[in-house]
Structure formats: C-alpha cells, structure tokens
Amino acid sequence: FTSGSSIAGGAIRSPDIRSKNLISIIFCEAVAIYGIILAIIMSGKMEVNANSLTPSGAYTYAAMAGGYTLFAAGMAVGFGNMACGISVGIVGSSCVIADAHNTSLFVKILVVEIFASALGIFAIIIGILMAQKAVMI
C-alpha cells in the first residue's frame, strides 16, 4: 500500500520512475509466495490415521503436538512476513521518493530493500524447519 501510493505520487513529479520502481511491488508479492509455499508443505503433513486416535476417539498427544507445531510454523512465517512486508513497503516508499528527487539514489536504496526482503526468507526457512518436525502419528 505504501509503495504503490508513493509510486503514484512520485510519478507526478517525475513520470519516468513508474516502471523501475515497480520492483518494490514485486518484492511485496514475493512475501505472499512464501506463505503459499509453507501452506503447501503443511498440507502435506496433515494426516489423520488410525494411530492418531485413542480408542475413545480423541486425538493422541503426539497428533496434537504435531498440530501445534504446524500452527507455530504458520504463525512464525505469518509474523515474519508481516514484518518483512512492512519494512519492504516503507523502504520501497523511501526509494520512490528518493528516486524522484535524485535518480542516482535508486540502486543504493534498492540494496537496502533487498536486505529488508531477507526477513521473509528467514521466516520461511524457520517455518520449513518447524514444519519438518511435525509428526502426526
């Protein structure tokens, strides 16, 4: 939201910045893909079989622990990607404003934006490691 509105506003002063500053929007889209990747991994882990239930029909502690592990993995990726999206949006907005003022600053601020997007990569790595430990027996 922040990057898009800054691109629209900055393009009034300098119309040539529209296309190259769309990279900020692309970085924000990559964060959504990280969530989808973890959702696919987690959907492959969720299974209920006869060993997951006690004779009374309740889930075993191992199955519940696996469910909580997957929940924690989803929360870790969700919060990490939320922080990544906010930081990429703020840096992307600053990149647009700086580029409209001085075009030589674009690449320098783009490097900072790449570092901000690394938060999402770290979150998906942690989520994948957590989801691998989930056992639904």
Side-chain angles (χ1 to χ4, degrees), residues 16-46:
D16 58 329
I17 68 166
R18 286 180 301 200
S19 59
K20 70 179 175 180
N21 280 296
L22 287 177
I23 193 139
S24 300
I25 306 298
I26 294 169
F27 281 141
C28 291
E29 292 295 324
V31 174
I33 293 171
Y34 298 152
I36 292 171
I37 290 170
L38 187 73
I40 292 169
I41 291 170
M42 288 171 52
S43 69
K45 286 288 203 175
M46 292 191 285

mmCIF file with all atom_site columns, all heavy atoms in Angstrom, residues 16-46:
data_model
loop_
_atom_site.group_PDB
_atom_site.id
_atom_site.type_symbol
_atom_site.label_atom_id
_atom_site.label_alt_id
_atom_site.label_comp_id
_atom_site.label_asym_id
_atom_site.label_entity_id
_atom_site.label_seq_id
_atom_site.pdbx_PDB_ins_code
_atom_site.Cartn_x
_atom_site.Cartn_y
_atom_site.Cartn_z
_atom_site.occupancy
_atom_site.B_iso_or_equiv
_atom_site.pdbx_formal_charge
_atom_site.auth_seq_id
_atom_site.auth_comp_id
_atom_site.auth_asym_id
_atom_site.auth_atom_id
_atom_site.pdbx_PDB_model_num
ATOM 1   N N   . ASP A 1 16 ? 9.092  9.183   -15.299 1.00 0.00 ? 16 ASP A N   1
ATOM 2   C CA  . ASP A 1 16 ? 9.946  8.073   -15.725 1.00 0.00 ? 16 ASP A CA  1
ATOM 3   C C   . ASP A 1 16 ? 10.254 7.087   -14.605 1.00 0.00 ? 16 ASP A C   1
ATOM 4   O O   . ASP A 1 16 ? 10.834 6.034   -14.858 1.00 0.00 ? 16 ASP A O   1
ATOM 5   C CB  . ASP A 1 16 ? 11.250 8.615   -16.314 1.00 0.00 ? 16 ASP A CB  1
ATOM 6   C CG  . ASP A 1 16 ? 12.013 9.485   -15.326 1.00 0.00 ? 16 ASP A CG  1
ATOM 7   O OD1 . ASP A 1 16 ? 11.354 10.139  -14.502 1.00 0.00 ? 16 ASP A OD1 1
ATOM 8   O OD2 . ASP A 1 16 ? 13.253 9.496   -15.395 1.00 0.00 ? 16 ASP A OD2 1
ATOM 9   N N   . ILE A 1 17 ? 9.862  7.351   -13.381 1.00 0.00 ? 17 ILE A N   1
ATOM 10  C CA  . ILE A 1 17 ? 10.167 6.433   -12.281 1.00 0.00 ? 17 ILE A CA  1
ATOM 11  C C   . ILE A 1 17 ? 9.138  5.325   -12.122 1.00 0.00 ? 17 ILE A C   1
ATOM 12  O O   . ILE A 1 17 ? 9.355  4.404   -11.348 1.00 0.00 ? 17 ILE A O   1
ATOM 13  C CB  . ILE A 1 17 ? 10.297 7.198   -10.944 1.00 0.00 ? 17 ILE A CB  1
ATOM 14  C CG1 . ILE A 1 17 ? 8.953  7.757   -10.503 1.00 0.00 ? 17 ILE A CG1 1
ATOM 15  C CG2 . ILE A 1 17 ? 11.352 8.264   -11.010 1.00 0.00 ? 17 ILE A CG2 1
ATOM 16  C CD1 . ILE A 1 17 ? 8.934  8.212   -9.076  1.00 0.00 ? 17 ILE A CD1 1
ATOM 17  N N   . ARG A 1 18 ? 8.043  5.386   -12.848 1.00 0.00 ? 18 ARG A N   1
ATOM 18  C CA  . ARG A 1 18 ? 6.964  4.409   -12.654 1.00 0.00 ? 18 ARG A CA  1
ATOM 19  C C   . ARG A 1 18 ? 7.417  2.985   -12.869 1.00 0.00 ? 18 ARG A C   1
ATOM 20  O O   . ARG A 1 18 ? 7.171  2.119   -12.034 1.00 0.00 ? 18 ARG A O   1
ATOM 21  C CB  . ARG A 1 18 ? 5.795  4.706   -13.585 1.00 0.00 ? 18 ARG A CB  1
ATOM 22  C CG  . ARG A 1 18 ? 4.980  5.891   -13.197 1.00 0.00 ? 18 ARG A CG  1
ATOM 23  C CD  . ARG A 1 18 ? 3.880  6.065   -14.178 1.00 0.00 ? 18 ARG A CD  1
ATOM 24  N NE  . ARG A 1 18 ? 4.490  6.248   -15.507 1.00 0.00 ? 18 ARG A NE  1
ATOM 25  C CZ  . ARG A 1 18 ? 3.883  6.782   -16.532 1.00 0.00 ? 18 ARG A CZ  1
ATOM 26  N NH1 . ARG A 1 18 ? 2.639  7.145   -16.426 1.00 0.00 ? 18 ARG A NH1 1
ATOM 27  N NH2 . ARG A 1 18 ? 4.490  6.931   -17.674 1.00 0.00 ? 18 ARG A NH2 1
ATOM 28  N N   . SER A 1 19 ? 8.053  2.710   -13.978 1.00 0.00 ? 19 SER A N   1
ATOM 29  C CA  . SER A 1 19 ? 8.350  1.324   -14.326 1.00 0.00 ? 19 SER A CA  1
ATOM 30  C C   . SER A 1 19 ? 9.458  0.726   -13.480 1.00 0.00 ? 19 SER A C   1
ATOM 31  O O   . SER A 1 19 ? 9.344  -0.419  -13.033 1.00 0.00 ? 19 SER A O   1
ATOM 32  C CB  . SER A 1 19 ? 8.691  1.210   -15.807 1.00 0.00 ? 19 SER A CB  1
ATOM 33  O OG  . SER A 1 19 ? 9.802  2.029   -16.105 1.00 0.00 ? 19 SER A OG  1
ATOM 34  N N   . LYS A 1 20 ? 10.516 1.449   -13.223 1.00 0.00 ? 20 LYS A N   1
ATOM 35  C CA  . LYS A 1 20 ? 11.610 0.834   -12.478 1.00 0.00 ? 20 LYS A CA  1
ATOM 36  C C   . LYS A 1 20 ? 11.303 0.706   -10.989 1.00 0.00 ? 20 LYS A C   1
ATOM 37  O O   . LYS A 1 20 ? 11.882 -0.133  -10.318 1.00 0.00 ? 20 LYS A O   1
ATOM 38  C CB  . LYS A 1 20 ? 12.923 1.585   -12.703 1.00 0.00 ? 20 LYS A CB  1
ATOM 39  C CG  . LYS A 1 20 ? 13.034 2.933   -12.098 1.00 0.00 ? 20 LYS A CG  1
ATOM 40  C CD  . LYS A 1 20 ? 14.420 3.507   -12.408 1.00 0.00 ? 20 LYS A CD  1
ATOM 41  C CE  . LYS A 1 20 ? 14.536 4.927   -11.903 1.00 0.00 ? 20 LYS A CE  1
ATOM 42  N NZ  . LYS A 1 20 ? 15.841 5.473   -12.190 1.00 0.00 ? 20 LYS A NZ  1
ATOM 43  N N   . ASN A 1 21 ? 10.399 1.482   -10.470 1.00 0.00 ? 21 ASN A N   1
ATOM 44  C CA  . ASN A 1 21 ? 10.051 1.360   -9.058  1.00 0.00 ? 21 ASN A CA  1
ATOM 45  C C   . ASN A 1 21 ? 8.981  0.312   -8.801  1.00 0.00 ? 21 ASN A C   1
ATOM 46  O O   . ASN A 1 21 ? 8.605  0.094   -7.645  1.00 0.00 ? 21 ASN A O   1
ATOM 47  C CB  . ASN A 1 21 ? 9.605  2.714   -8.506  1.00 0.00 ? 21 ASN A CB  1
ATOM 48  C CG  . ASN A 1 21 ? 10.785 3.583   -8.173  1.00 0.00 ? 21 ASN A CG  1
ATOM 49  O OD1 . ASN A 1 21 ? 11.569 3.249   -7.297  1.00 0.00 ? 21 ASN A OD1 1
ATOM 50  N ND2 . ASN A 1 21 ? 10.938 4.669   -8.894  1.00 0.00 ? 21 ASN A ND2 1
ATOM 51  N N   . LEU A 1 22 ? 8.516  -0.368  -9.821  1.00 0.00 ? 22 LEU A N   1
ATOM 52  C CA  . LEU A 1 22 ? 7.589  -1.478  -9.614  1.00 0.00 ? 22 LEU A CA  1
ATOM 53  C C   . LEU A 1 22 ? 8.266  -2.660  -8.943  1.00 0.00 ? 22 LEU A C   1
ATOM 54  O O   . LEU A 1 22 ? 7.598  -3.585  -8.480  1.00 0.00 ? 22 LEU A O   1
ATOM 55  C CB  . LEU A 1 22 ? 6.956  -1.907  -10.936 1.00 0.00 ? 22 LEU A CB  1
ATOM 56  C CG  . LEU A 1 22 ? 5.916  -0.945  -11.496 1.00 0.00 ? 22 LEU A CG  1
ATOM 57  C CD1 . LEU A 1 22 ? 5.429  -1.441  -12.839 1.00 0.00 ? 22 LEU A CD1 1
ATOM 58  C CD2 . LEU A 1 22 ? 4.763  -0.793  -10.539 1.00 0.00 ? 22 LEU A CD2 1
ATOM 59  N N   . ILE A 1 23 ? 9.588  -2.639  -8.872  1.00 0.00 ? 23 ILE A N   1
ATOM 60  C CA  . ILE A 1 23 ? 10.304 -3.716  -8.196  1.00 0.00 ? 23 ILE A CA  1
ATOM 61  C C   . ILE A 1 23 ? 9.931  -3.788  -6.721  1.00 0.00 ? 23 ILE A C   1
ATOM 62  O O   . ILE A 1 23 ? 9.937  -4.859  -6.124  1.00 0.00 ? 23 ILE A O   1
ATOM 63  C CB  . ILE A 1 23 ? 11.820 -3.588  -8.396  1.00 0.00 ? 23 ILE A CB  1
ATOM 64  C CG1 . ILE A 1 23 ? 12.522 -4.856  -7.981  1.00 0.00 ? 23 ILE A CG1 1
ATOM 65  C CG2 . ILE A 1 23 ? 12.393 -2.431  -7.614  1.00 0.00 ? 23 ILE A CG2 1
ATOM 66  C CD1 . ILE A 1 23 ? 13.603 -5.273  -8.871  1.00 0.00 ? 23 ILE A CD1 1
ATOM 67  N N   . SER A 1 24 ? 9.554  -2.657  -6.143  1.00 0.00 ? 24 SER A N   1
ATOM 68  C CA  . SER A 1 24 ? 9.100  -2.667  -4.743  1.00 0.00 ? 24 SER A CA  1
ATOM 69  C C   . SER A 1 24 ? 7.814  -3.470  -4.605  1.00 0.00 ? 24 SER A C   1
ATOM 70  O O   . SER A 1 24 ? 7.629  -4.199  -3.620  1.00 0.00 ? 24 SER A O   1
ATOM 71  C CB  . SER A 1 24 ? 8.868  -1.241  -4.263  1.00 0.00 ? 24 SER A CB  1
ATOM 72  O OG  . SER A 1 24 ? 10.047 -0.493  -4.343  1.00 0.00 ? 24 SER A OG  1
ATOM 73  N N   . ILE A 1 25 ? 6.936  -3.360  -5.573  1.00 0.00 ? 25 ILE A N   1
ATOM 74  C CA  . ILE A 1 25 ? 5.693  -4.134  -5.545  1.00 0.00 ? 25 ILE A CA  1
ATOM 75  C C   . ILE A 1 25 ? 6.000  -5.618  -5.741  1.00 0.00 ? 25 ILE A C   1
ATOM 76  O O   . ILE A 1 25 ? 5.372  -6.480  -5.117  1.00 0.00 ? 25 ILE A O   1
ATOM 77  C CB  . ILE A 1 25 ? 4.725  -3.630  -6.639  1.00 0.00 ? 25 ILE A CB  1
ATOM 78  C CG1 . ILE A 1 25 ? 4.497  -2.119  -6.516  1.00 0.00 ? 25 ILE A CG1 1
ATOM 79  C CG2 . ILE A 1 25 ? 3.423  -4.396  -6.615  1.00 0.00 ? 25 ILE A CG2 1
ATOM 80  C CD1 . ILE A 1 25 ? 3.859  -1.683  -5.237  1.00 0.00 ? 25 ILE A CD1 1
ATOM 81  N N   . ILE A 1 26 ? 6.980  -5.929  -6.565  1.00 0.00 ? 26 ILE A N   1
ATOM 82  C CA  . ILE A 1 26 ? 7.362  -7.324  -6.805  1.00 0.00 ? 26 ILE A CA  1
ATOM 83  C C   . ILE A 1 26 ? 7.929  -7.949  -5.543  1.00 0.00 ? 26 ILE A C   1
ATOM 84  O O   . ILE A 1 26 ? 7.655  -9.112  -5.233  1.00 0.00 ? 26 ILE A O   1
ATOM 85  C CB  . ILE A 1 26 ? 8.343  -7.413  -7.989  1.00 0.00 ? 26 ILE A CB  1
ATOM 86  C CG1 . ILE A 1 26 ? 7.634  -6.998  -9.279  1.00 0.00 ? 26 ILE A CG1 1
ATOM 87  C CG2 . ILE A 1 26 ? 8.937  -8.811  -8.112  1.00 0.00 ? 26 ILE A CG2 1
ATOM 88  C CD1 . ILE A 1 26 ? 8.543  -6.782  -10.451 1.00 0.00 ? 26 ILE A CD1 1
ATOM 89  N N   . PHE A 1 27 ? 8.720  -7.198  -4.787  1.00 0.00 ? 27 PHE A N   1
ATOM 90  C CA  . PHE A 1 27 ? 9.240  -7.713  -3.516  1.00 0.00 ? 27 PHE A CA  1
ATOM 91  C C   . PHE A 1 27 ? 8.098  -8.023  -2.557  1.00 0.00 ? 27 PHE A C   1
ATOM 92  O O   . PHE A 1 27 ? 8.150  -9.011  -1.826  1.00 0.00 ? 27 PHE A O   1
ATOM 93  C CB  . PHE A 1 27 ? 10.196 -6.714  -2.865  1.00 0.00 ? 27 PHE A CB  1
ATOM 94  C CG  . PHE A 1 27 ? 11.581 -6.715  -3.444  1.00 0.00 ? 27 PHE A CG  1
ATOM 95  C CD1 . PHE A 1 27 ? 12.260 -5.530  -3.616  1.00 0.00 ? 27 PHE A CD1 1
ATOM 96  C CD2 . PHE A 1 27 ? 12.212 -7.882  -3.807  1.00 0.00 ? 27 PHE A CD2 1
ATOM 97  C CE1 . PHE A 1 27 ? 13.537 -5.514  -4.139  1.00 0.00 ? 27 PHE A CE1 1
ATOM 98  C CE2 . PHE A 1 27 ? 13.482 -7.885  -4.331  1.00 0.00 ? 27 PHE A CE2 1
ATOM 99  C CZ  . PHE A 1 27 ? 14.154 -6.692  -4.497  1.00 0.00 ? 27 PHE A CZ  1
ATOM 100 N N   . CYS A 1 28 ? 7.082  -7.195  -2.548  1.00 0.00 ? 28 CYS A N   1
ATOM 101 C CA  . CYS A 1 28 ? 5.931  -7.451  -1.674  1.00 0.00 ? 28 CYS A CA  1
ATOM 102 C C   . CYS A 1 28 ? 5.167  -8.694  -2.129  1.00 0.00 ? 28 CYS A C   1
ATOM 103 O O   . CYS A 1 28 ? 4.636  -9.440  -1.294  1.00 0.00 ? 28 CYS A O   1
ATOM 104 C CB  . CYS A 1 28 ? 5.012  -6.238  -1.650  1.00 0.00 ? 28 CYS A CB  1
ATOM 105 S SG  . CYS A 1 28 ? 5.729  -4.808  -0.818  1.00 0.00 ? 28 CYS A SG  1
ATOM 106 N N   . GLU A 1 29 ? 5.092  -8.944  -3.418  1.00 0.00 ? 29 GLU A N   1
ATOM 107 C CA  . GLU A 1 29 ? 4.417  -10.144 -3.926  1.00 0.00 ? 29 GLU A CA  1
ATOM 108 C C   . GLU A 1 29 ? 5.183  -11.406 -3.559  1.00 0.00 ? 29 GLU A C   1
ATOM 109 O O   . GLU A 1 29 ? 4.584  -12.462 -3.349  1.00 0.00 ? 29 GLU A O   1
ATOM 110 C CB  . GLU A 1 29 ? 4.251  -10.063 -5.444  1.00 0.00 ? 29 GLU A CB  1
ATOM 111 C CG  . GLU A 1 29 ? 3.283  -9.004  -5.899  1.00 0.00 ? 29 GLU A CG  1
ATOM 112 C CD  . GLU A 1 29 ? 1.871  -9.272  -5.449  1.00 0.00 ? 29 GLU A CD  1
ATOM 113 O OE1 . GLU A 1 29 ? 1.476  -10.452 -5.405  1.00 0.00 ? 29 GLU A OE1 1
ATOM 114 O OE2 . GLU A 1 29 ? 1.162  -8.309  -5.150  1.00 0.00 ? 29 GLU A OE2 1
ATOM 115 N N   . ALA A 1 30 ? 6.504  -11.312 -3.490  1.00 0.00 ? 30 ALA A N   1
ATOM 116 C CA  . ALA A 1 30 ? 7.307  -12.474 -3.129  1.00 0.00 ? 30 ALA A CA  1
ATOM 117 C C   . ALA A 1 30 ? 6.989  -12.940 -1.718  1.00 0.00 ? 30 ALA A C   1
ATOM 118 O O   . ALA A 1 30 ? 7.025  -14.139 -1.422  1.00 0.00 ? 30 ALA A O   1
ATOM 119 C CB  . ALA A 1 30 ? 8.791  -12.151 -3.261  1.00 0.00 ? 30 ALA A CB  1
ATOM 120 N N   . VAL A 1 31 ? 6.642  -12.021 -0.841  1.00 0.00 ? 31 VAL A N   1
ATOM 121 C CA  . VAL A 1 31 ? 6.301  -12.377 0.524   1.00 0.00 ? 31 VAL A CA  1
ATOM 122 C C   . VAL A 1 31 ? 5.050  -13.256 0.547   1.00 0.00 ? 31 VAL A C   1
ATOM 123 O O   . VAL A 1 31 ? 4.959  -14.213 1.319   1.00 0.00 ? 31 VAL A O   1
ATOM 124 C CB  . VAL A 1 31 ? 6.107  -11.100 1.371   1.00 0.00 ? 31 VAL A CB  1
ATOM 125 C CG1 . VAL A 1 31 ? 5.621  -11.427 2.761   1.00 0.00 ? 31 VAL A CG1 1
ATOM 126 C CG2 . VAL A 1 31 ? 7.411  -10.329 1.440   1.00 0.00 ? 31 VAL A CG2 1
ATOM 127 N N   . ALA A 1 32 ? 4.092  -12.979 -0.303  1.00 0.00 ? 32 ALA A N   1
ATOM 128 C CA  . ALA A 1 32 ? 2.877  -13.795 -0.375  1.00 0.00 ? 32 ALA A CA  1
ATOM 129 C C   . ALA A 1 32 ? 3.198  -15.204 -0.854  1.00 0.00 ? 32 ALA A C   1
ATOM 130 O O   . ALA A 1 32 ? 2.589  -16.175 -0.392  1.00 0.00 ? 32 ALA A O   1
ATOM 131 C CB  . ALA A 1 32 ? 1.863  -13.131 -1.298  1.00 0.00 ? 32 ALA A CB  1
ATOM 132 N N   . ILE A 1 33 ? 4.152  -15.309 -1.741  1.00 0.00 ? 33 ILE A N   1
ATOM 133 C CA  . ILE A 1 33 ? 4.536  -16.629 -2.242  1.00 0.00 ? 33 ILE A CA  1
ATOM 134 C C   . ILE A 1 33 ? 5.157  -17.469 -1.131  1.00 0.00 ? 33 ILE A C   1
ATOM 135 O O   . ILE A 1 33 ? 4.962  -18.681 -1.073  1.00 0.00 ? 33 ILE A O   1
ATOM 136 C CB  . ILE A 1 33 ? 5.477  -16.477 -3.452  1.00 0.00 ? 33 ILE A CB  1
ATOM 137 C CG1 . ILE A 1 33 ? 4.704  -15.870 -4.621  1.00 0.00 ? 33 ILE A CG1 1
ATOM 138 C CG2 . ILE A 1 33 ? 6.090  -17.816 -3.845  1.00 0.00 ? 33 ILE A CG2 1
ATOM 139 C CD1 . ILE A 1 33 ? 5.556  -15.484 -5.794  1.00 0.00 ? 33 ILE A CD1 1
ATOM 140 N N   . TYR A 1 34 ? 5.885  -16.835 -0.209  1.00 0.00 ? 34 TYR A N   1
ATOM 141 C CA  . TYR A 1 34 ? 6.470  -17.581 0.911   1.00 0.00 ? 34 TYR A CA  1
ATOM 142 C C   . TYR A 1 34 ? 5.379  -18.229 1.757   1.00 0.00 ? 34 TYR A C   1
ATOM 143 O O   . TYR A 1 34 ? 5.528  -19.365 2.202   1.00 0.00 ? 34 TYR A O   1
ATOM 144 C CB  . TYR A 1 34 ? 7.320  -16.665 1.793   1.00 0.00 ? 34 TYR A CB  1
ATOM 145 C CG  . TYR A 1 34 ? 8.506  -16.041 1.103   1.00 0.00 ? 34 TYR A CG  1
ATOM 146 C CD1 . TYR A 1 34 ? 9.007  -14.821 1.531   1.00 0.00 ? 34 TYR A CD1 1
ATOM 147 C CD2 . TYR A 1 34 ? 9.128  -16.662 0.038   1.00 0.00 ? 34 TYR A CD2 1
ATOM 148 C CE1 . TYR A 1 34 ? 10.093 -14.234 0.922   1.00 0.00 ? 34 TYR A CE1 1
ATOM 149 C CE2 . TYR A 1 34 ? 10.210 -16.081 -0.593  1.00 0.00 ? 34 TYR A CE2 1
ATOM 150 C CZ  . TYR A 1 34 ? 10.690 -14.866 -0.145  1.00 0.00 ? 34 TYR A CZ  1
ATOM 151 O OH  . TYR A 1 34 ? 11.763 -14.288 -0.750  1.00 0.00 ? 34 TYR A OH  1
ATOM 152 N N   . GLY A 1 35 ? 4.296  -17.528 1.982   1.00 0.00 ? 35 GLY A N   1
ATOM 153 C CA  . GLY A 1 35 ? 3.185  -18.100 2.744   1.00 0.00 ? 35 GLY A CA  1
ATOM 154 C C   . GLY A 1 35 ? 2.538  -19.268 2.022   1.00 0.00 ? 35 GLY A C   1
ATOM 155 O O   . GLY A 1 35 ? 2.157  -20.259 2.644   1.00 0.00 ? 35 GLY A O   1
ATOM 156 N N   . ILE A 1 36 ? 2.416  -19.168 0.719   1.00 0.00 ? 36 ILE A N   1
ATOM 157 C CA  . ILE A 1 36 ? 1.824  -20.254 -0.066  1.00 0.00 ? 36 ILE A CA  1
ATOM 158 C C   . ILE A 1 36 ? 2.724  -21.485 -0.042  1.00 0.00 ? 36 ILE A C   1
ATOM 159 O O   . ILE A 1 36 ? 2.242  -22.621 0.054   1.00 0.00 ? 36 ILE A O   1
ATOM 160 C CB  . ILE A 1 36 ? 1.550  -19.787 -1.510  1.00 0.00 ? 36 ILE A CB  1
ATOM 161 C CG1 . ILE A 1 36 ? 0.437  -18.747 -1.504  1.00 0.00 ? 36 ILE A CG1 1
ATOM 162 C CG2 . ILE A 1 36 ? 1.186  -20.958 -2.410  1.00 0.00 ? 36 ILE A CG2 1
ATOM 163 C CD1 . ILE A 1 36 ? 0.227  -18.063 -2.825  1.00 0.00 ? 36 ILE A CD1 1
ATOM 164 N N   . ILE A 1 37 ? 4.025  -21.270 -0.094  1.00 0.00 ? 37 ILE A N   1
ATOM 165 C CA  . ILE A 1 37 ? 4.968  -22.392 -0.039  1.00 0.00 ? 37 ILE A CA  1
ATOM 166 C C   . ILE A 1 37 ? 4.798  -23.157 1.267   1.00 0.00 ? 37 ILE A C   1
ATOM 167 O O   . ILE A 1 37 ? 4.720  -24.387 1.288   1.00 0.00 ? 37 ILE A O   1
ATOM 168 C CB  . ILE A 1 37 ? 6.414  -21.890 -0.214  1.00 0.00 ? 37 ILE A CB  1
ATOM 169 C CG1 . ILE A 1 37 ? 6.650  -21.423 -1.639  1.00 0.00 ? 37 ILE A CG1 1
ATOM 170 C CG2 . ILE A 1 37 ? 7.424  -22.974 0.171   1.00 0.00 ? 37 ILE A CG2 1
ATOM 171 C CD1 . ILE A 1 37 ? 7.952  -20.687 -1.847  1.00 0.00 ? 37 ILE A CD1 1
ATOM 172 N N   . LEU A 1 38 ? 4.738  -22.417 2.380   1.00 0.00 ? 38 LEU A N   1
ATOM 173 C CA  . LEU A 1 38 ? 4.575  -23.098 3.663   1.00 0.00 ? 38 LEU A CA  1
ATOM 174 C C   . LEU A 1 38 ? 3.217  -23.782 3.756   1.00 0.00 ? 38 LEU A C   1
ATOM 175 O O   . LEU A 1 38 ? 3.109  -24.874 4.316   1.00 0.00 ? 38 LEU A O   1
ATOM 176 C CB  . LEU A 1 38 ? 4.763  -22.136 4.829   1.00 0.00 ? 38 LEU A CB  1
ATOM 177 C CG  . LEU A 1 38 ? 4.764  -22.862 6.172   1.00 0.00 ? 38 LEU A CG  1
ATOM 178 C CD1 . LEU A 1 38 ? 6.058  -23.634 6.350   1.00 0.00 ? 38 LEU A CD1 1
ATOM 179 C CD2 . LEU A 1 38 ? 4.539  -21.923 7.300   1.00 0.00 ? 38 LEU A CD2 1
ATOM 180 N N   . ALA A 1 39 ? 2.181  -23.190 3.214   1.00 0.00 ? 39 ALA A N   1
ATOM 181 C CA  . ALA A 1 39 ? 0.857  -23.816 3.246   1.00 0.00 ? 39 ALA A CA  1
ATOM 182 C C   . ALA A 1 39 ? 0.861  -25.145 2.495   1.00 0.00 ? 39 ALA A C   1
ATOM 183 O O   . ALA A 1 39 ? 0.232  -26.115 2.938   1.00 0.00 ? 39 ALA A O   1
ATOM 184 C CB  . ALA A 1 39 ? -0.178 -22.868 2.650   1.00 0.00 ? 39 ALA A CB  1
ATOM 185 N N   . ILE A 1 40 ? 1.562  -25.205 1.383   1.00 0.00 ? 40 ILE A N   1
ATOM 186 C CA  . ILE A 1 40 ? 1.655  -26.461 0.625   1.00 0.00 ? 40 ILE A CA  1
ATOM 187 C C   . ILE A 1 40 ? 2.412  -27.511 1.423   1.00 0.00 ? 40 ILE A C   1
ATOM 188 O O   . ILE A 1 40 ? 2.020  -28.683 1.480   1.00 0.00 ? 40 ILE A O   1
ATOM 189 C CB  . ILE A 1 40 ? 2.301  -26.211 -0.753  1.00 0.00 ? 40 ILE A CB  1
ATOM 190 C CG1 . ILE A 1 40 ? 1.357  -25.380 -1.614  1.00 0.00 ? 40 ILE A CG1 1
ATOM 191 C CG2 . ILE A 1 40 ? 2.661  -27.525 -1.430  1.00 0.00 ? 40 ILE A CG2 1
ATOM 192 C CD1 . ILE A 1 40 ? 1.990  -24.861 -2.882  1.00 0.00 ? 40 ILE A CD1 1
ATOM 193 N N   . ILE A 1 41 ? 3.512  -27.107 2.063   1.00 0.00 ? 41 ILE A N   1
ATOM 194 C CA  . ILE A 1 41 ? 4.282  -28.045 2.881   1.00 0.00 ? 41 ILE A CA  1
ATOM 195 C C   . ILE A 1 41 ? 3.442  -28.546 4.052   1.00 0.00 ? 41 ILE A C   1
ATOM 196 O O   . ILE A 1 41 ? 3.432  -29.748 4.361   1.00 0.00 ? 41 ILE A O   1
ATOM 197 C CB  . ILE A 1 41 ? 5.582  -27.381 3.373   1.00 0.00 ? 41 ILE A CB  1
ATOM 198 C CG1 . ILE A 1 41 ? 6.534  -27.156 2.197   1.00 0.00 ? 41 ILE A CG1 1
ATOM 199 C CG2 . ILE A 1 41 ? 6.262  -28.214 4.449   1.00 0.00 ? 41 ILE A CG2 1
ATOM 200 C CD1 . ILE A 1 41 ? 7.734  -26.314 2.519   1.00 0.00 ? 41 ILE A CD1 1
ATOM 201 N N   . MET A 1 42 ? 2.710  -27.642 4.680   1.00 0.00 ? 42 MET A N   1
ATOM 202 C CA  . MET A 1 42 ? 1.899  -28.022 5.836   1.00 0.00 ? 42 MET A CA  1
ATOM 203 C C   . MET A 1 42 ? 0.730  -28.917 5.438   1.00 0.00 ? 42 MET A C   1
ATOM 204 O O   . MET A 1 42 ? 0.357  -29.831 6.182   1.00 0.00 ? 42 MET A O   1
ATOM 205 C CB  . MET A 1 42 ? 1.396  -26.773 6.561   1.00 0.00 ? 42 MET A CB  1
ATOM 206 C CG  . MET A 1 42 ? 2.487  -26.059 7.311   1.00 0.00 ? 42 MET A CG  1
ATOM 207 S SD  . MET A 1 42 ? 2.023  -24.459 7.978   1.00 0.00 ? 42 MET A SD  1
ATOM 208 C CE  . MET A 1 42 ? 0.555  -24.800 8.876   1.00 0.00 ? 42 MET A CE  1
ATOM 209 N N   . SER A 1 43 ? 0.157  -28.695 4.277   1.00 0.00 ? 43 SER A N   1
ATOM 210 C CA  . SER A 1 43 ? -0.967 -29.536 3.859   1.00 0.00 ? 43 SER A CA  1
ATOM 211 C C   . SER A 1 43 ? -0.519 -30.965 3.601   1.00 0.00 ? 43 SER A C   1
ATOM 212 O O   . SER A 1 43 ? -1.297 -31.904 3.778   1.00 0.00 ? 43 SER A O   1
ATOM 213 C CB  . SER A 1 43 ? -1.647 -28.946 2.630   1.00 0.00 ? 43 SER A CB  1
ATOM 214 O OG  . SER A 1 43 ? -0.801 -29.053 1.503   1.00 0.00 ? 43 SER A OG  1
ATOM 215 N N   . GLY A 1 44 ? 0.720  -31.146 3.194   1.00 0.00 ? 44 GLY A N   1
ATOM 216 C CA  . GLY A 1 44 ? 1.243  -32.495 3.020   1.00 0.00 ? 44 GLY A CA  1
ATOM 217 C C   . GLY A 1 44 ? 1.526  -33.193 4.327   1.00 0.00 ? 44 GLY A C   1
ATOM 218 O O   . GLY A 1 44 ? 1.584  -34.422 4.396   1.00 0.00 ? 44 GLY A O   1
ATOM 219 N N   . LYS A 1 45 ? 1.696  -32.431 5.397   1.00 0.00 ? 45 LYS A N   1
ATOM 220 C CA  . LYS A 1 45 ? 1.979  -33.017 6.708   1.00 0.00 ? 45 LYS A CA  1
ATOM 221 C C   . LYS A 1 45 ? 0.722  -33.433 7.451   1.00 0.00 ? 45 LYS A C   1
ATOM 222 O O   . LYS A 1 45 ? 0.766  -34.299 8.312   1.00 0.00 ? 45 LYS A O   1
ATOM 223 C CB  . LYS A 1 45 ? 2.718  -31.992 7.582   1.00 0.00 ? 45 LYS A CB  1
ATOM 224 C CG  . LYS A 1 45 ? 4.139  -31.778 7.214   1.00 0.00 ? 45 LYS A CG  1
ATOM 225 C CD  . LYS A 1 45 ? 4.915  -32.986 7.631   1.00 0.00 ? 45 LYS A CD  1
ATOM 226 C CE  . LYS A 1 45 ? 6.372  -32.643 7.818   1.00 0.00 ? 45 LYS A CE  1
ATOM 227 N NZ  . LYS A 1 45 ? 7.102  -33.784 8.341   1.00 0.00 ? 45 LYS A NZ  1
ATOM 228 N N   . MET A 1 46 ? -0.397 -32.801 7.163   1.00 0.00 ? 46 MET A N   1
ATOM 229 C CA  . MET A 1 46 ? -1.616 -33.060 7.934   1.00 0.00 ? 46 MET A CA  1
ATOM 230 C C   . MET A 1 46 ? -2.275 -34.342 7.459   1.00 0.00 ? 46 MET A C   1
ATOM 231 O O   . MET A 1 46 ? -2.716 -34.442 6.322   1.00 0.00 ? 46 MET A O   1
ATOM 232 C CB  . MET A 1 46 ? -2.579 -31.883 7.801   1.00 0.00 ? 46 MET A CB  1
ATOM 233 C CG  . MET A 1 46 ? -2.071 -30.651 8.480   1.00 0.00 ? 46 MET A CG  1
ATOM 234 S SD  . MET A 1 46 ? -3.278 -29.361 8.614   1.00 0.00 ? 46 MET A SD  1
ATOM 235 C CE  . MET A 1 46 ? -3.328 -28.749 6.959   1.00 0.00 ? 46 MET A CE  1
#
